[in-house]
């Protein structure tokens, strides 16, 4: 800290406190505070100058500061009191009642000091810091309680060395904080990011601070201007709000829209600052750096602010690293990238998770040695829980939060924050959104701008437009309107563990069918009721006329093909499976059927008729209705084209087999269970990207060319991969022609050839079996084809998801006794038998 200086250290309202006054006030308060060397002092107050005084006063007495959220409840404060047992607690008059009740509740005997008492203890004649005052770097300076995004807070013990490692990185090693740059205090100081980034670092480096009285836009703009702020630290939602407000004004005029597009294309900082100089001037005209931390800043917002000439430095870290692990350097700003690690920090990836080691890593969790060991390994690396990647220069890109990832039963990984950002773009209707999972479907909890908006309006104006822009697994299947504030930490992180409570306490899953059906027109009521009854029986869910097949009912490809077959058999007309999602809801689908159906005879879905129909274009009409149906056909029949096996197909399989046997010491068991003649279905579990060649390792060479593989389109992107697929017996599950995909499999089996289907549909995330889809069971039963369960072990450790290199782990492939289709078995029973055999239960 600058000593004996008349330079301004703190601006707060009309008060300008010099460094000399700051030091005198700190020393005066230190004499008054009942804190011993190594003792703990809680600071329980809103942001104010006395907060800063208390911080340095406790440190001057070599005590430990425990900052607590000023909005904490009695139970929150009592929890921390019990956990850390402080010698004293400093609070403001506004929090005195909460403090007294918390002390009574906890039973902890601690001295309470009111900030208002300070005024009677200031002494302008006190000595300042001794020149030889130097803290013990290994001593604990702070115990910061985590914000509780996943459960009970833990006390993070940070040493002076932890703090100084961060300050050195952003001042000496990379000159961001210096004596000529003042920083605004906006975020609550109990959190490590604003504490270090907007108080400790700027004061110690001589730039000083200006305390903003509130988070309101007028106060922020006034503080930016009066304080001549050079460094503005905020959280992503603040930058998002700022950017959206500016962008709306830009979009109002043609000329400003064109200028914005020009600057975006040019990507030149000087040009952007010239054209949009008014933006910087309105923010005081002295702003050098905007800093975003606390959560990931969406790439679009970062790029937009850069286009406006505002440099946004992203920091990444956690309370446990005091707080920085990596940050973007001035002149090397890449939106979506959190920059290079601190010079003193070593980073690595462990199964895709970012781990860090350096002098910034905490001492540990207070009184929780086992939990400390759980996050800091034997080599000293802290496991962040965040997924990341590095570029060639070593920059860090955060790709997701491992604990926040939603894993659906189809194996798809969903990053909820990505979807939330897209939905919050509809900001005239949506205030905020939280995406979670319910009944294996994505559900959006929406806080609307207007509490009177209806669920149907939000689905029509927000959800359906969004769903049309994303892959099936990212589509929102249901929504819940919540007229309240979503649970967040003070740095705006969503507390996802509390979302289930919102749903459990408020969500009513019981539809009022009678009320819904009052609006169903008489002309289509019968068609609608038939469709609803069919779906309820098949999906085992309650159905409403306003439900959408994807957004509400979560229909997968097989569900849509089944519904297509049911409509054809019941109503004598064709509605293609791949266009079903184009209908607004079941009511609209029923209206279409009412207009064009040629019969009305309820029949159970006949998969045998669908799979054995000789009409290659995928229509399963019977000859009795063919003349009527032709009028409904918009496309001419097309012959189903199957891929072929090139001369290299067998060669590739032999190469893979030789590699696995040599490198992975692969063993093959039960090859005698592979039928020598006739069609069959290979059904392996799915552990790695290389499971297909592994599962083929025991197949005789003469049968290899007669086995076809079923794969999703997303795994075969690009001309080259599609070229290879067409010459290596790969049948794609076409999202735009779902029925044809299944009919191709049927055609292969009916031609006496065989297929391989992974019942799980996607690779495992844990090594355990996932949910089995029943497509293979339907094919087996209706075409009377045996299923050979294939148990693959070791492949998960050989090549996990996210791994780039094949590990020399032992792999075994075992062909189990065939499951013969039985007319008395249901599809679900066949599916379960196969799964049980692979699990070793049968």
């Amino acid at each position: 800290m600058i000593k004996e200086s008349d330079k301004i250290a703190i601006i707060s309202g009309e008060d300008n406190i010099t460094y000399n006054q700051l030091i005198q006030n700190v020393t005066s308060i230190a004499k008054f505070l009942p804190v011993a060397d190594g003792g703990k002092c809680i600071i329980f107050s809103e942001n104010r100058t006395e907060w800063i005084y208390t911080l340095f006063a406790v440190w001057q007495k070599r005590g430990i500061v425990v900052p607590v959220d000023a909005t904490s409840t009695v139970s929150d404060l009592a929890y921390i009191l019990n956990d850390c047992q402080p010698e004293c607690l400093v609070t403001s008059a506004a929090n005195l009642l909460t403090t007294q009740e918390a002390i009574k509740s906890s039973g902890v005997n601690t001295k309470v000091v009111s900030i208002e008492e300070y005024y009677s203890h200031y002494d302008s004649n006190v000595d300042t810091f001794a020149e030889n005052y130097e803290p013990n770097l290994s001593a604990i300076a702070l115990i910061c309680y985590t914000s509780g995004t996943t459960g009970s807070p833990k006390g993070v013990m940070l040493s002076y060395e932890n703090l100084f490692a961060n300050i050195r990185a952003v001042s000496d090693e990379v000159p961001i904080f210096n004596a000529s740059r003042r920083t605004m205090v906006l975020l609550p100081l109990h959190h490590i990011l604003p504490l270090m980034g907007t108080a400790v670092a700027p004061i110690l480096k001589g730039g000083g601070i200006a305390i903003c009285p509130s988070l309101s836009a007028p106060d922020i703009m006034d503080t930016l201007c009066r304080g001549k702020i050079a460094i503005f630290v905020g959280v992503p939602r603040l930058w998002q709000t700022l950017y959206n407000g500016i962008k709306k004004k830009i979009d109002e005029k043609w000329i400003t829209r064109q200028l914005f597009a020009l600057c975006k294309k040019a990507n030149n900082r000087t040009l952007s600052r010239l054209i949009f100089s008014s933006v910087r001037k309105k923010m005081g005209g002295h702003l050098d750096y905007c800093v975003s931390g606390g959560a990931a800043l969406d790439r679009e917002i970062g790029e937009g602010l850069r286009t406006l000439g505002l440099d946004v430095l992203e920091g990444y870290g956690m309370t446990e690293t005091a707080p920085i692990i990596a940050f973007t350097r001035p002149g090397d700003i890449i939106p979506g990238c959190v920059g290079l690690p601190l010079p003193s920090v070593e980073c690595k990836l462990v199964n895709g998770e970012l781990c860090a080691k350096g002098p910034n890593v905490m001492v540990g969790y207070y009184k929780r040695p086992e939990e400390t060991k759980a996050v800091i390994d034997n080599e000293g690396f802290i496991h962040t829980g965040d997924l990341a990647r590095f570029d060639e220069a070593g920059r860090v890109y955060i790709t997701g939060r491992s604990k926040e990832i939603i894993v659906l039963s189809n194996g798809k990984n969903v990053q909820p924050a990505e979807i939330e950002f897209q939905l919050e773009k509809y900001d005239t209707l949506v205030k905020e959104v939280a995406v979670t999972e319910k009944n294996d479907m994505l559900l959006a909890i929406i806080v609307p701008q207007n509490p009177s908006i209806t669920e149907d309006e939000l689905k029509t104006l927000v959800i359906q437009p969004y769903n049309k822009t994303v892959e099936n697994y990212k589509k929102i299947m249901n929504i819940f309107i919540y007229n309240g504030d979503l649970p967040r930490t003070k740095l705006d992180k969503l507390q996802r563990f509390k979302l289930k409570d919102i749903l459990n306490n408020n969500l009513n899953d019981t539809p009022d069918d009678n009320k819904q059906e009052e609006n169903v027109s008489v002309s289509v009521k019968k068609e609608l009721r038939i469709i609803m009854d069919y779906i309820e029986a098949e999906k085992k869910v309650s159905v409403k006329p306003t439900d959408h097949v994807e957004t509400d009912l979560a229909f997968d490809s097989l569900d849509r093909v089944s519904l297509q077959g049911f409509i054809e058999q019941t109503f004598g007309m064709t509605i293609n499976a791949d266009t079903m999602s184009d209908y607004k809801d079941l009511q609209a689908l029923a209206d279409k059927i009412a207009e064009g159906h040629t019969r009305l005879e309820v029949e159970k879905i006949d998969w045998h008729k669908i799979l054995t129909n000789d009409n290659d274009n995928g229509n399963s009409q019977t000859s009795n209705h063919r003349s009527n149906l032709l009028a409904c056909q918009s496309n001419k029949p097309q012959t189903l084209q199957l891929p072929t096996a090139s001369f290299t197909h067998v060669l590739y399989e032999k190469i893979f087999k030789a590699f696995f046997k040599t490198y992975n010491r692969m063993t093959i068991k039960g090859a005698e269970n592979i039928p020598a003649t006739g069609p069959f279905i290979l059904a392996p579990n799915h552990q790695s990207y290389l499971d297909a060649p592994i599962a083929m390792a025991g197949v005789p060479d003469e049968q290899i060319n007669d086995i076809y593989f079923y794969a999703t389109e997303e795994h075969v992107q690009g001309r080259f991969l599609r070229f290879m697929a067409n010459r290596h017996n790969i049948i794609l599950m076409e999202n735009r022609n779902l029925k044809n995909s299944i009919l191709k499999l049927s055609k292969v089996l009916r031609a006496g050839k065989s297929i391989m289907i992974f019942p799980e549909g996607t690779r495992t995330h844990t090594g355990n079996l996932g949910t089995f889809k029943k497509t293979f069971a339907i094919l087996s039963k209706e075409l009377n084809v045996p299923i050979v369960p294939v148990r693959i072990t070791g492949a998960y450790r050989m090549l996990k998801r996210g791994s780039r290199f094949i590990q020399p782990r032992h792999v075994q492939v075992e062909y189990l006794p065939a499951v013969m289709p039985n007319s008395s078995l249901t599809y679900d029973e066949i599916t379960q038998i196969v799964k049980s055999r692979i699990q070793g239960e049968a």
Side-chain angles (χ1 to χ4, degrees), residues 202-270:
I203 287 178
L204 293 185
K205 300 313 295 184
I209 62 175
I211 300 175
C212 186
S214 78
L215 289 170
S216 69
D219 280 342
I220 291 174
M221 299 307 291
D222 179 64
T223 305
L224 285 170
C225 295
R226 287 199 309 112
K228 298 180 179 180
I229 298 299
I231 300 175
F232 181 1
V233 180
V235 292
R237 285 178 67 85
L238 176 64
W239 300 121
Q240 181 177 338
T241 301
L242 174 69
Y243 172 70
N244 288 342
I246 297 173
K247 189 64 166 59
K248 279 185 178 180
K249 292 184 178 180
I250 288 174
D251 289 342
E252 290 174 357
K253 298 179 180 179
W254 179 87
I255 184 64
T256 49
R257 289 199 306 271
Q258 298 306 311
L259 289 172
F260 184 86
L262 171 66
C263 290
K264 184 175 182 179
K265 187 173 183 180
N267 192 27
N268 182 281
R269 181 174 183 266
T270 303

Side-chain angles (χ1 to χ4, degrees), residues 155-299:
V156 177
M157 296 186 291
L158 298 173
S159 68
Y160 287 100
E161 174 59 20
N162 295 152
L163 306 186
F164 291 160
N166 275 264
I167 295 172
R168 285 194 301 269
V170 294
S171 57
D172 301 335
E173 293 161 349
V174 180
I176 296 172
F177 292 95
N178 59 35
S180 64
R181 292 190 178 122
R182 183 175 290 121
T183 302
M184 179 166 65
V185 178
L186 177 67
L187 304 173
L189 290 171
H190 74 274
H191 195 285
I192 189 64
L193 169 64
L195 176 56
M196 290 295 295
T198 70
V200 177
I203 287 178
L204 293 185
K205 300 313 295 184
I209 62 175
I211 300 175
C212 186
S214 78
L215 289 170
S216 69
D219 280 342
I220 291 174
M221 299 307 291
D222 179 64
T223 305
L224 285 170
C225 295
R226 287 199 309 112
K228 298 180 179 180
I229 298 299
I231 300 175
F232 181 1
V233 180
V235 292
R237 285 178 67 85
L238 176 64
W239 300 121
Q240 181 177 338
T241 301
L242 174 69
Y243 172 70
N244 288 342
I246 297 173
K247 189 64 166 59
K248 279 185 178 180
K249 292 184 178 180
I250 288 174
D251 289 342
E252 290 174 357
K253 298 179 180 179
W254 179 87
I255 184 64
T256 49
R257 289 199 306 271
Q258 298 306 311
L259 289 172
F260 184 86
L262 171 66
C263 290
K264 184 175 182 179
K265 187 173 183 180
N267 192 27
N268 182 281
R269 181 174 183 266
T270 303
L271 178 64
S272 291
R273 285 203 162 192
L274 176 64
I275 291 180
F276 293 106
S277 59
S278 61
V279 173
R280 195 162 171 266
K281 286 179 181 178
K282 288 180 180 178
M283 299 177 75
H286 295 82
L287 195 61
D288 288 333
Y289 300 117
C290 302
V291 178
S292 180
L297 179 68
D298 190 88
R299 182 185 183 92

Side-chain angles (χ1 to χ4, degrees), residues 361-512:
V361 175
M362 68 172 179
V363 175
Y365 293 121
Y366 183 63
K367 296 193 300 188
R368 299 193 185 192
E370 294 304 316
E371 294 188 43
T372 301
K373 291 179 181 178
V375 298
I376 301 179
D377 61 28
N378 294 332
E379 297 180 4
F381 282 92
I382 187 165
H383 291 245
T384 66
D386 287 313
L387 304 176
R389 66 178 178 86
F390 301 126
D391 66 12
E392 64 282 354
R395 302 183 190 91
V396 180
Y397 294 76
I398 302 300
T399 59
R401 179 73 178 164
S402 61
K403 293 180 181 178
E404 293 182 355
I405 290 177
I406 297 172
V407 182
L408 301 174
S409 64
N410 60 8
K412 295 294 186 182
N413 285 347
V414 178
Q415 287 288 354
E418 174 188 331
I419 299 175
E420 289 156 1
F421 174 75
Q422 295 300 324
L423 293 177
E424 286 176 356
K425 287 183 179 179
Y426 299 87
D427 56 355
T428 58
L429 301 168
V430 175
K431 184 178 179 181
E432 57 178 336
V433 179
V435 173
T436 186
E437 175 270 336
K438 185 175 177 65
N439 299 327
D440 199 38
M441 297 184 289
L442 293 184
L443 178 145
I445 301 173
I446 298 178
V447 179
Q449 295 285 9
N450 183 352
S452 64
I453 195 169
T454 66
E455 181 178 310
D456 287 341
E457 287 173 328
L458 282 175
K459 285 183 177 179
T460 301
L461 300 174
V462 177
I463 302 302
Q464 289 183 16
Y466 160 77
N467 280 346
K468 289 181 179 179
T469 66
V470 296
E471 302 94 326
N472 285 337
Y473 73 93
K474 290 184 180 179
K475 291 182 178 179
I476 297 298
M477 303 305 181
N478 208 346
I479 68 170
F480 170 64
I481 298 177
Y482 182 58
N483 290 309
D485 293 327
L486 294 178
R488 295 183 182 274
T489 69
K490 291 302 175 182
L491 285 197
D492 214 42
K493 289 184 180 178
L494 194 60
Q495 294 178 304
R496 297 188 184 277
F497 71 98
K498 294 183 179 179
L499 297 181
K500 295 296 183 184
D501 290 337
I502 291 177
L503 295 178
N504 292 337
N505 294 335
N506 296 280
L507 190 57
N508 182 3
D509 288 327
T510 305
D512 189 346

Side-chain angles (χ1 to χ4, degrees), residues 62-80:
R62 303 182 189 278
I64 300 170
V65 173
V66 183
V68 175
D69 183 358
T71 63
S72 294
T73 63
V74 170
S75 60
D76 292 335
L77 182 57
Y79 171 88
I80 295 174

Side-chain angles (χ1 to χ4, degrees), residues 647-672:
F647 71 95
T648 61
H649 186 51
V650 175
L651 176 62
Y652 286 155
E653 293 296 342
K654 286 184 175 182
I655 292 173
F656 272 117
K657 182 176 179 179
F659 173 80
F660 294 134
K661 281 198 166 187
T662 303
Y663 187 71
N664 297 101
R665 297 170 287 111
M666 181 177 66
T667 54
I668 300 171
K669 296 176 65 177
E672 67 276 6

